Structures are given as structure tokens and as C-alpha cells.
Amino acid sequence: MLTSDIVGKLRCTAAGSAAGIARGLDTGTTKIGPVWEGDVGDTVDFEALRQRAVHSLFEHLESMCVGAVAVDHNARIAWMDEKYKALLGVPGDPRGRPVEEVIPNSQLRRVIDSGQPQPLDIMEFDDRSFVVTRMPLFGIDGSIIGAIGFVLFDRAEYLRPLVRKYEKMQEELARTQQELAHERRAKYSFSQFLGASESIREIKRLGRRAAQMDSTVLLLGETGTGKELLAQAIHSASPRASKPFVGVNVAAIPETLLEAEFFGVAPGAYTGADRRHREGKFQLANGGTLFLDEIGDMPLPVQAKLLRVLQEREIEPLGSNKVVRVDVRIIAATSRDLHALVREKQFRADLYYRLNVVPITLPPLRDRPEDIESIADRILEQLAIQQGTPPRELLESAVQVLRDYDWPGNVRELYNTLERVVALTDAPILTAPHIRSVLPGMQHPAGASVLPLAAGARPLQEVLHAAERHAIAAALEEANGVKARAAKLLGISRASLYERMVTLGLGATQ
Ligand SMILES: Nc1ncnc2c1ncn2[C@@H]1O[C@H](COP(=O)(O)OP(=O)(O)O)[C@@H](O)[C@H]1O
Ligand SMILES: [Mg+2]
């Protein structure tokens, strides 16, 4: 019988396979000797046991399977069991024929060539899918003399629960990736870039033009002037709009991690902790826009690498010797004086020229006071939406205070200022004292804040009364003493104002 021929002459290897077990018994034989005296005095012929094990295992496996085939070192069929012949509908004796003639998708030739088993695979045959396992066969001298294949199931159906689990994981992965891609989409467009001053109109014009050009843009300007907002608007108006917008703040990343962050890490680049492959920002932004914020803070060695990427348009992930082509539009931004940095040799001149293709300088808020009111109104609108309250109004005198302030933090500071005012008062109309109370160096003439929040621990009643007194005084000042108007500013009725003034000892009489 061919079965015994094969197992008699060949050693079949694969972890956990029949041959693996047979080898285990082998080791036993050499260690303990062919004959072993058991406790009860019976004698066991170890070699005979091994032979038996190999036989029965093979037979067992064969009976469990729905088909089995063995090929010689030329991948010619040496034996095929009746079940397999019936399954495939093979007429006559297939022995001696190249395996692919009978089983077109057989991989046994590859197993012979590589010497590697294929423990689990799905093989197509006509319109059917078989679950198969394949192993190389070794001769006594260790050379490959053939291969053996088992069909574990004649329908991949049996793997359905496993496949379903796998598909579910794939779906989840796809969903997460989609969400991430959505996150990476730019959130702002030119319509959200506020300001009607001549300088802002010019900037929007330049930005729209840059959006169509695909060249590198360099955004200059103080912090909070809207560089990131403009970068997103440019991306959103560009042909890359449907692709990712990925931002990296160079200043926020430790120098030692910058390279990995930019270019990614190949699997196994580091021993230990992170052996997985990690994509760099360049790859994440592929097809889209990469926003390099605070580029002036980039360390010189990384500048050299970035320059190379900008020239070659390819990156080399850390620990890999392969280069990857990337297609990204770069928008760089800095609040620092890049030109001065170049002079001081803190910034590479060649990189500066590479980045400085379309420079756009955003003016500070103090240079365009005419924009303040519209931006402030929009911010108050946004805050109201966030808090689910009606938007607060700004009294003209309050707008004047905003215009007079010099805004070192620009629009960002304006946003924070208004957010603070709104948090500190419920008044629907914001007055000059309200604004002054939160602006540094603009507090109440007495030096104390209108809202005595920083006054240390005091009874709550006292703090509230002090705050009310200040608020009412400010409203009266604003309203030139006209109580009806002051009441409106405070968002209370005139009667309540009278009542509060009496309670607080502000000298009102009924
Ligand atoms: N022209 C503008 N119109 C509306 N919002 C703006 C404008 N300029 C800046 N902002 C807002 O101010 C904040 C700071 O802007 P950002 O773009 O991060 O500034 P930068 O990158 O220059 O520091 C953001 O909340 C942004 O939406
Ligand atoms: Mg910024």
C-alpha cells in the first residue's frame, strides 16, 4: 500500500504534524534506547511503537481529511487517495502527471521549492473552495523528495466563523481609518476666515491663488493671527481637498522623536518596545497637504532631512533602507523671523528658499482694528451656540476698548478674552468695564478687578454682593446714570435694579 510506502521511506515535517510527533518519539528512542522496561515489568519495543504511531497518525489524518495527495520532487503525482479523486472527478490513475494538470491551483510545487509547509490555505477548484494544508517531505538524508497535501474541508464554509470574525475586524479597521481620514480633513475654509480690512482681503486673494498652484506656501505672522486657519482654507480650496490635511507642530515634538514622527518607523527598527510599523506624517498626508507649524523651531539635522524630502519627494522611514515616494503639498508656518534665523545660521538658507515659494504674511490684529468688531461678533455667536444661550451684544464703547488694546496674542487672545467675559457675567450686553475687567493692565481704576474673583477666600454672600455692586456701578456709568438703560445692560428689570441698589446700599430710593 502506498500509504505505508510513503511513511516508511519519508519523514514528513511540520510543527504539530504527525511527523513532528514521530520525531518526538525518535528523540525518546535515542535517549532511552530502543527497549524500555516499564514499572509493571512489561517490555515496550520503542521503534515498533514509533512505526505504529507514524502509520496510525497518517491513517488518522487521511481518514479525517476529504482528500490527500503526495507528489515527488518534480511535483509529479505519486499517489492520490480515492476520496480526492472522487472529489475532483479525476478519471483513471493520475500517477506520474504534473500535479497542476490535475489540480490547477496546487501549491505543492512551491512547497517543494521553498521547503516551507503551508499549514492552512484556501484553494480554489472550479467554483469550489477547499481548505488545505501542505507539507514538504524529507528523505533520510534531509533532502526534499516531495510534498504532501491534505484537503481538510471540501468547503471553506467550515471556516465561516473564523472568516466572519476576520471580516468584522477588517470592517472595524476600515471604519476607524475612515473616521481618522475624516478627522484629518481640513475643518476650515475661506468663508470662515473673517475680516474685511484691505490686508485681509489681499491675504485671502493670495491664499485662493496659492490653493490652485500646488506649490509650497510659507505663512508668516505673529501667534494667533490665523496661520493654521489659512493653511486649512488653502487646502480646502485646492484640488487636494478630498485628501488628508495633516498638521505637525514642530515645536511641540521632542527633538529625538521628530524624525520618527515625520518619516515613520519600519518594523523592527528598534529592539524592544515598538517593533511595529508606524507611518510618518508624510505618509499620512500622502495625496493631501502637510502643514508644518512652527517650522522655525526645527532642529538643524532635521532641516537637512526635510530639505532632501522636498527635493526628492521621497522619504526613508527610520530603520528601513527602502525609500517611499510621497506626494504632499507643504504649507509651512512660523511666528519667528525666519530671515533673521537664516542670518544667525539657525535655519538653513537652502531650506528657507525651498519653503519661501509663496510667502504670505498675516498682519497682527492691532494693525487692522477695523476687523475687530466682526471677528468679536462671530466669536460671541460661536460661544452662544456652544453654551446654548442667546448671543451677547457688544456695546460700542466695549468695541472701542477692544480696538484700543494691542492684542499680543491676536485673534486667539481675542477669543480667550471674550470667552472669559462671557463666563464671568450673565449680562446680555457687554460693556467697556466688562471687557476691561479681563484685559491685563486695563483693570478698574481702583486697581481691583470689577469681578473680585482673585480676592482670596471670603464669604460667598460678600463676594456676590461686591460683584453685583461693581456690575451695577459699571452699568450706571455706561448708561450715564439712566437707570432704565442700566437695567437693560444688566439684563434685569428696572424694578429689580432699584431693589438691588437698595439692598446693596447704592443710594437708590424708591
Ligand atoms: N481671520 C480670522 N477669522 C476667524 N478666526 C480666526 C482668524 N484668525 C484667527 N482665527 C482664530 O484664532 C485662533 C488662532 O488661529 P490660528 O490659525 O491657530 O493662529 P496661528 O496658527 O497663527 O497661531 C483660532 O481659533 C482661529 O480659528
Ligand atoms: Mg498656530
Side-chain angles (χ1 to χ4, degrees):
M1 180 182 154
L2 239 154
T3 316
S4 56
D5 277 2
I6 290 166
V7 288
K9 290 192 199 116
L10 311 176
R11 200 156 53 83
C12 154
T13 67
S17 69
I21 295 164
R23 250 206 323 275
L25 291 168
D26 240 347
T27 320
T29 348
T30 44
K31 253 200 238 152
I32 307 171
V35 177
W36 175 69
E37 295 283 334
D39 287 346
V40 283
D42 56 336
T43 306
V44 178
D45 181 340
F46 220 83
E47 182 51 28
L49 182 70
R50 187 186 77 87
Q51 289 281 345
R52 203 49 235 144
V54 172
H55 274 255
S56 63
L57 261 172
F58 183 87
E59 278 158 16
H60 207 69
L61 199 58
E62 202 234 293
S63 72
M64 267 169 42
C65 292
V66 292
V69 63
V71 295
D72 68 4
H73 66 284
N74 285 321
R76 280 185 312 231
I77 294 178
W79 162 78
M80 182 181 252
D81 73 354
E82 294 304 322
K83 283 187 290 184
Y84 208 178
K85 279 194 233 168
L87 187 66
L88 302 183
V90 177
D93 186 354
R95 272 187 297 183
R97 291 169 64 187
V99 66
E100 295 85 359
E101 253 182 37
V102 182
I103 314 167
N105 292 323
S106 172
Q107 297 289 315
L108 288 175
R109 192 179 298 277
R110 183 177 292 181
V111 170
I112 295 164
D113 292 345
S114 68
Q116 295 299 315
Q118 295 180 354
L120 197 64
D121 193 14
I122 292 176
M123 184 180 76
E124 308 292 332
F125 186 88
D126 292 341
D127 55 351
R128 289 176 288 171
S129 304
F130 300 149
V131 180
V132 299
T133 181
R134 307 178 182 103
M135 293 171 232
L137 296 169
F138 294 96
I140 306 294
D141 63 353
S143 63
I144 294 177
I145 57 165
I148 189 157
F150 294 101
V151 181
L152 300 176
F153 307 116
D154 57 353
R155 280 176 298 158
E157 295 290 288
Y158 294 100
L159 284 184
R160 184 94 342 152
L162 206 73
V163 170
R164 209 173 292 139
K165 228 184 240 173
Y166 174 77
E167 281 171 354
K168 219 173 126 208
M169 275 159 62
Q170 285 286 328
E171 268 169 33
E172 258 164 46
L173 186 70
R175 205 174 33 248
T176 316
Q177 279 172 340
Q178 212 175 0
E179 278 169 18
L180 216 80
H182 188 76
E183 268 300 295
R184 291 207 178 99
R185 281 231 296 279
K187 295 178 186 71
Y188 296 101
S189 61
F190 280 110
S191 64
Q192 277 132 306
F193 198 91
L194 303 177
S197 57
E198 193 41 55
S199 53
I200 289 299
R201 281 221 293 273
E202 172 66 8
I203 277 164
K204 287 171 103 167
R205 205 177 53 76
L206 281 174
R208 286 209 173 86
R209 229 183 41 211
Q212 300 311 316
M213 290 178 356
D214 214 46
S215 38
T216 302
V217 176
L218 179 61
L219 303 177
L220 303 163
E222 290 178 13
T223 178
T225 46
K227 296 185 294 293
E228 179 153 9
L229 183 61
L230 184 61
Q232 295 206 13
I234 291 174
H235 171 81
S236 298
S238 78
R240 295 173 179 263
S242 65
K243 294 289 166 51
F245 174 91
V246 176
V248 209
N249 186 332
V250 175
I253 300 167
E255 190 173 333
T256 46
L257 299 183
L258 259 181
E259 249 188 273
E261 194 73 21
F262 276 139
F263 310 121
V265 180
Y270 303 125
T271 45
D274 197 353
R275 288 169 160 272
R276 283 164 306 147
H277 160 82
R278 236 181 58 213
E279 296 220 299
K281 299 287 187 193
F282 270 94
Q283 280 155 294
L284 292 174
N286 205 9
T289 303
L290 182 61
F291 175 56
L292 301 176
D293 203 1
E294 307 294 359
I295 191 101
D297 293 270
M298 184 175 265
L300 281 164
V302 187
Q303 286 180 29
K305 297 235 156 102
L306 177 63
L307 179 69
R308 230 207 77 196
V309 178
L310 297 186
Q311 280 164 348
E312 316 288 335
R313 296 281 154 183
E314 48 189 33
I315 56 160
E316 196 173 312
L318 241 84
S320 137
N321 46 13
K322 271 193 277 182
V323 289
V324 184
R325 283 206 72 74
V326 283
D327 163 34
V328 290
R329 127 85 74 100
I330 303 283
I331 302 182
T334 182
S335 53
R336 303 181 62 176
D337 183 349
L338 267 195
H339 212 260
L341 289 177
V342 170
R343 266 200 317 272
E344 293 158 17
K345 305 232 177 306
Q346 295 294 305
F347 203 85
R348 293 180 66 114
D350 42 12
L351 179 59
Y352 174 68
Y353 293 120
R354 273 267 158 196
L355 295 173
N356 199 32
V357 183
V358 182
I360 302 180
T361 304
L362 287 100
L365 198 52
R366 78 186 77 85
D367 290 353
R368 44 184 169 111
E370 63 269 44
D371 282 340
I372 286 184
E373 187 170 4
S374 64
I375 298 180
D377 278 343
R378 177 64 66 86
I379 293 171
L380 289 172
E381 234 173 72
Q382 281 174 6
L383 289 171
I385 292 169
Q386 272 169 32
Q387 295 163 0
T389 55
R392 318 290 184 97
E393 259 175 65
L394 277 168
L395 214 60
E396 172 55 31
S397 57
V399 176
Q400 196 50 50
V401 176
L402 294 176
R403 286 198 200 102
D404 290 343
Y405 183 64
D406 73 346
W407 302 110
N410 295 291
V411 185
R412 186 179 290 112
E413 189 182 7
L414 178 59
Y415 198 104
N416 294 344
T417 299
L418 293 174
E419 200 171 16
R420 267 196 348 262
V421 175
V422 163
L424 290 175
T425 175
D426 285 331
I429 299 175
L430 304 174
T431 65
H434 283 138
I435 305 293
R436 276 197 215 102
S437 73
V438 295
L439 283 179
M442 282 217 178
Q443 265 86 38
H444 202 256
S449 163
V450 170
L451 306 173
L453 294 182
R458 280 192 293 154
L460 184 60
Q461 183 78 334
E462 200 183 303
V463 178
L464 293 174
H465 279 181
E468 266 189 77
R469 233 178 261 125
H470 278 296
I472 291 173
L476 287 167
E477 182 196 321
E478 194 67 48
N480 292 324
V482 182
K483 294 191 185 68
R485 215 169 125 63
K488 195 166 173 233
L489 291 176
L490 292 163
I492 56 176
S493 70
R494 211 167 44 141
S496 302
L497 174 61
Y498 276 110
E499 192 263 315
R500 294 314 297 154
M501 286 174 73
V502 173
T503 310
L504 299 167
L506 287 174
T509 47
Q510 293 284 340

